[in-house]
């Protein structure tokens, strides 16, 4: 009978410990509620990270790295300088950016930078740019690209007379009175 007491006592202690545990002390992560847009061009994504642009999300899974934009965060960015000139490439290499000497070919995701006022994409291999949603864009510099398609619908642009081959400026919109002419 002496052996039964320790067994009963052990069973009681184990039962009490099990009953003391509740699911209230277990925390779970809520599902990712961010509005993410996948970035297909790693050179674009890594340059955004190098520039410290908020809202770039790095997803590392299965030994592969993928990048996304948090659409709600990047919508507040007002200026992007993504030129891949020789000096910019040297800076990227010194910082250890894997795609330092890879030129940007796709700007997919740029349409989510809704507050963008200035965009510089000199010395890249961008073939198509859709700026139709970027209605606040005022300055565009895109020398030395392979642009075959440029969508500026919804914007009124004129060529900058400073002599730059592909620098365009959006005229200031008139806030004037009756009789003021818009461009």
């Amino acid at each position: 009978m002496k052996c039964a007491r320790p067994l009963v006592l052990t069973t009681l202690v184990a039962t009490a410990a099990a009953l003391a545990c509740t699911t209230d002390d277990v925390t779970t992560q809520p599902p990712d509620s961010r509005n993410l847009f996948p970035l297909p061009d790693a050179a674009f994504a890594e340059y955004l990270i190098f520039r410290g642009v908020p809202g770039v999300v790095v997803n590392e899974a299965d030994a592969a790295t993928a990048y996304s934009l948090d659409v709600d965060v990047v919508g507040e960015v007002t200026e992007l300088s993504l030129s891949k000139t020789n000096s910019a490439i040297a800076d990227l290499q010194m910082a250890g950016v894997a795609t330092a000497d890879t030129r940007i070919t796709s700007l997919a995701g740029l349409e989510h930078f809704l507050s963008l006022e200035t965009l510089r994409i000199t010395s890249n291999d961008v073939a198509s740019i859709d700026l139709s949603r970027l209605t606040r864009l005022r300055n565009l510099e895109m020398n030395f690209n392979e642009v075959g398609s440029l969508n500026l619908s919804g914007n009124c642009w004129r060529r900058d007379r400073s002599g730059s081959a592909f620098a365009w400026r959006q005229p200031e919109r008139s806030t004037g009175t009756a009789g003021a002419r818009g461009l």
Side-chain angles (χ1 to χ4, degrees), residues 86-153:
N86 289 336
S87 62
I89 290 172
D91 290 343
L92 291 164
Q93 288 172 334
M94 285 184 56
V97 175
T99 58
D101 58 354
T102 303
R103 300 198 185 276
I104 297 169
T105 58
S106 172
L107 292 174
L110 185 68
E111 66 272 17
H112 298 290
F113 288 81
L114 298 177
S115 296
L116 200 61
E117 296 174 3
T118 299
L119 174 62
R120 291 179 199 90
I121 55 168
T122 301
S123 300
N124 281 290
D125 290 333
V126 178
S128 177
I129 306 172
D130 183 357
L131 303 174
S132 61
R133 291 188 58 199
L134 306 181
T135 59
R136 294 182 184 177
L137 191 65
R138 300 285 180 262
N139 301 304
L140 172 62
E141 296 174 21
M142 50 186 248
N143 298 331
F144 306 107
N145 277 279
E146 302 294 327
V147 177
S149 172
L150 174 63
N151 185 348
L152 295 171
S153 63

